[in-house]
Structure formats: C-alpha cells, structure tokens
Amino acid sequence: MASYRIALNFEDGVTRFVECRDDEKVLDAAFRNKINLPMDCSDGVCGTCKCRAESGAYDLGDDFIDDALTADEATGGLVLTCQMKPSSDCVIAVPTTSAACKTGQQKFAATVARVTPHNDAAIVLELDVDPTAAPVFLPGQYVNIDVPGSGQSRSYSFSSAPGEARIGFLIKKIPGGLMSSWLERAEVGTKLELTGPLGSFYLREVQRPLLLLAGGTGLAPFLSMLEVLAQANAQQKIHLIYGVTRDLDLVLVDEIEAYTNRLANFTCSTVVADAASSHPRKGWVTQHMPEELFNGGDVDVYLCGPPPMVDAVRKHLDDTGIVPNSFHYEKFTPNVLAKEAA
C-alpha cells in the first residue's frame, strides 16, 4: 500500500504535512493528524471541504454531486478533500486559517554547525537537525528562528532542499542588527528553536519555462528551488537573474553557476546597480530581462527581493503588457517578521 505526502497550505501562511495512504481520503488523513479541515457532510454533498490542488495526481471518484463540485471546478483544480484520494505527493491550498482547523505552527530544534560571513554583505548560517526528523517544507518557504536571549525571532528562507539533515540560510548582514550581532559571537553547537515552515512563496509544479528573479539575499529560496529541480532532473528552460546593489553583494555565485552542470537547460546572469561597478551588466534587473525570457507569456515567474525591486518588476510587467502564466513574489524587509507573498 502506497503512502503520499500531502502539504496543506493555510491562508495564514502555515503549512502542515500529513501522510495519506492511496486508499485513504485526504480529509480522513488530516483528521487522523488532528487537523480539522472544513467539512459538514463528508459525503460529497455540501462542498464545505472544497480546496484547490496546486500539484499532484489524485482521484476524486464520482461519488459527489454537481452542487458540491462542478465539472468545470474539478477541471480547474478544485477538489473535495472528503473524496480526494492521492496517487502522488500533493500540495493543497486550504481556504481558511490554520487556527480555524485547530492546528498551528510547528516548532523544531537545530544546532549551529557553521557560520560563514561573505564580505560585509551576508552570512551563511548552517544548522544541523535530527536526521530522523529533518524538516519538511516546500522549496521557497521560510522559518522563524529564535535569537537566543532576546525573546525575539527573525524570518529566513531555507537555502537548502527539504528533508536534509543540514539546513542553510542566507542572511543579510545588518550592522547592529539583532541576528547579525548574535551571529558574530555564535558558537558551533548552540541550540536554536525554529518555527515553520511558513509562506505561500514556493515552487509549484513545473510545466513550462521558469524565470527566477532574485534580489540580494532574496537569492536564498532560489537555491532551495534549484537544488530540488536538479534532484528531479528538470528539463524545462530555467533562467535566474540575480541583482544586487554593489559588487560585494554578489555572494554564492559559484554555487549558482554550478547548476549549469546539473540542470540541462539552466542559465543565469548577474546585475549590479552601482554605476561605478566594472560589472558587465549594470543597472536594475528590469533593464536586463529580454523579451524572449517571457516565452510569449508561457512562463512562470518567481521573484524574491526587497520591496523596491518587487514593485519595479511588477510595474515593468504592467508597463510592457507582459502577462506570464503565473507570477509569484515575496517581499522581504530586514528585521521585519512578516513577509508579503503572492
């Protein structure tokens, strides 16, 4: 009997994972894990349990009525969790909060394995977790990391792939910043508490070319995505544009370029905004996005960076009339816990 991993993404950004047997309905698997997904009848009649399957294969059977789920809705990816039986791992968007389903954020522990500064721009933080309980997340998601002794936490995207015993983060170095200051004296073996995974910015099922736009340490989630794509031997065209303010802000470029040897159709480019730079591509990311990267609109665009960059890219798409198949973005602001994603 096969079992599949189901990611339940709630509208407040919390993600919970449950294992669901191939002869089991998703609603039942969630209840077995003490997650009370919306439901009234559990018989395919009321439609209360309607959610959206964002990826994966499944069977809905025919034991439900049209008033609960129309044929057009089913074709568009809507599902009734009381009828849905998976035949692969799936990602399901649940149109309510985690609290409404009597669940919430998960916590786990990790220990500091390595702290590597990169110029004055960024810090790579690597943490070891229990290999029997390595965190499961969707590539692109983030966690909140408690800063020891402060009573506060900071949000960082995973730069590593899901399920690894060593997890990584690319952290912007901020003079006097709470996490940056702590990392200056952090010792290997120090235990940290993390909460997550969180966020609606994550890699969807890859069915067309990808355009990845990273700004500064917004590179982190794309490193996670690229590793997952490489492990899956993805064949779609993928182009990453990595934009920074100064030459010194270009970090982990060797790691990015290494994916050109692991992904058959991966290319990348870097852009530096500083006019005094000797970099071959100067200016803003929007000045280095040739029309062919958008493949006539048949492209999925992922964008992660500071708010001005995100706003500039959105304006560029509006001004040029480019409408990608899908556009997912995440803004981040140093020292602000909340992230805005779409």
Side-chain angles (χ1 to χ4, degrees):
M1 183 180 300
S3 180
Y4 301 105
R5 179 171 289 157
I6 311 299
L8 302 171
N9 290 331
F10 299 93
E11 64 180 15
D12 54 355
V14 172
T15 299
R16 292 294 308 271
F17 290 84
V18 299
E19 293 293 323
C20 184
R21 301 187 306 273
D22 58 1
D23 66 342
E24 186 178 27
K25 296 171 182 178
V26 169
L27 182 70
D28 295 332
F31 282 174
R32 181 164 49 80
N33 285 271
K34 297 180 171 54
I35 300 173
N36 296 336
L37 292 180
M39 59 83 70
D40 279 329
C41 71
S42 76
D43 293 320
V45 175
C46 68
T48 302
C49 67
K50 191 181 299 180
C51 295
R52 179 175 297 280
E54 297 193 331
S55 69
Y58 51 87
D59 180 20
L60 288 176
D62 55 13
D63 192 21
F64 59 90
I65 66 173
D66 193 65
D67 285 347
L69 185 73
T70 68
D72 286 345
E73 288 177 325
T75 300
L78 293 179
V79 297
L80 299 177
T81 59
C82 76
Q83 301 298 312
M84 177 185 180
K85 294 181 179 180
S87 52
S88 76
D89 292 347
C90 296
V91 178
I92 299 175
V94 182
T96 188
T97 66
S98 58
C101 296
K102 293 182 169 53
T103 186
Q105 300 176 351
Q106 294 180 295
K107 291 183 176 291
F108 62 97
T111 56
V112 175
R114 185 182 301 160
V115 179
T116 308
H118 287 263
N119 306 315
D120 64 348
I123 302 165
V124 171
L125 172 63
E126 295 174 79
L127 305 176
D128 285 336
V129 297
D130 182 347
T132 64
V136 180
F137 55 91
L138 300 172
Q141 290 191 305
Y142 69 94
V143 291
N144 293 331
I145 303 178
D146 291 350
V147 183
S150 72
Q152 299 183 53
S153 62
R154 292 292 182 263
S155 303
Y156 301 107
S157 299
F158 290 97
S159 59
S160 51
E164 296 183 354
R166 176 162 291 186
I167 57 179
F169 305 91
L170 178 61
I171 296 172
K172 181 177 177 62
K173 191 172 184 179
I174 302 172
L178 182 64
M179 180 63 85
S180 297
S181 298
W182 182 79
L183 288 173
E184 291 176 356
R185 61 182 188 277
E187 297 181 355
V188 171
T190 301
K191 181 174 284 190
L192 298 177
E193 294 292 326
L194 295 80
T195 303
L198 299 160
S200 58
F201 182 76
Y202 55 84
L203 182 66
R204 271 67 175 178
E205 188 172 4
V206 180
Q207 298 179 322
R208 56 188 58 81
L210 302 179
L211 176 57
L212 313 178
L213 306 174
T217 52
L219 175 66
F222 296 118
L223 294 173
S224 179
M225 293 182 188
L226 288 171
E227 182 59 28
V228 168
L229 290 166
Q231 292 176 8
N233 193 27
Q235 298 298 305
Q236 292 284 2
K237 287 185 177 180
I238 305 166
H239 185 72
L240 168 70
I241 304 177
Y242 175 25
V244 299
T245 303
R246 314 166 302 157
D247 290 332
L248 288 176
D249 296 330
L250 282 174
V251 301
L252 304 183
V253 175
D254 289 346
E255 290 192 21
I256 301 168
E257 293 178 342
Y259 285 105
T260 59
N261 297 320
R262 299 181 59 198
L263 284 163
N265 294 297
F266 174 67
T267 54
C268 59
S269 58
T270 53
V271 180
V272 177
D274 185 2
S277 169
S278 59
H279 196 274
R281 287 172 297 277
K282 291 194 289 290
W284 307 110
V285 165
T286 50
Q287 297 171 301
H288 298 275
M289 297 192 304
E291 186 176 342
E292 57 265 25
L293 290 178
F294 292 93
N295 196 38
D298 188 29
V299 64
D300 293 326
V301 179
Y302 291 82
L303 164 64
C304 184
M309 175 187 175
V310 172
D311 293 341
V313 171
R314 294 175 65 191
K315 184 177 186 300
H316 176 82
L317 295 181
D318 288 341
D319 290 347
T320 57
I322 296 174
V323 182
N325 177 77
S326 68
F327 178 35
H328 311 280
Y329 67 86
E330 183 167 71
K331 296 180 180 180
F332 66 83
T333 303
N335 291 329
V336 175
L337 288 179
K339 294 192 175 189
E340 177 188 338

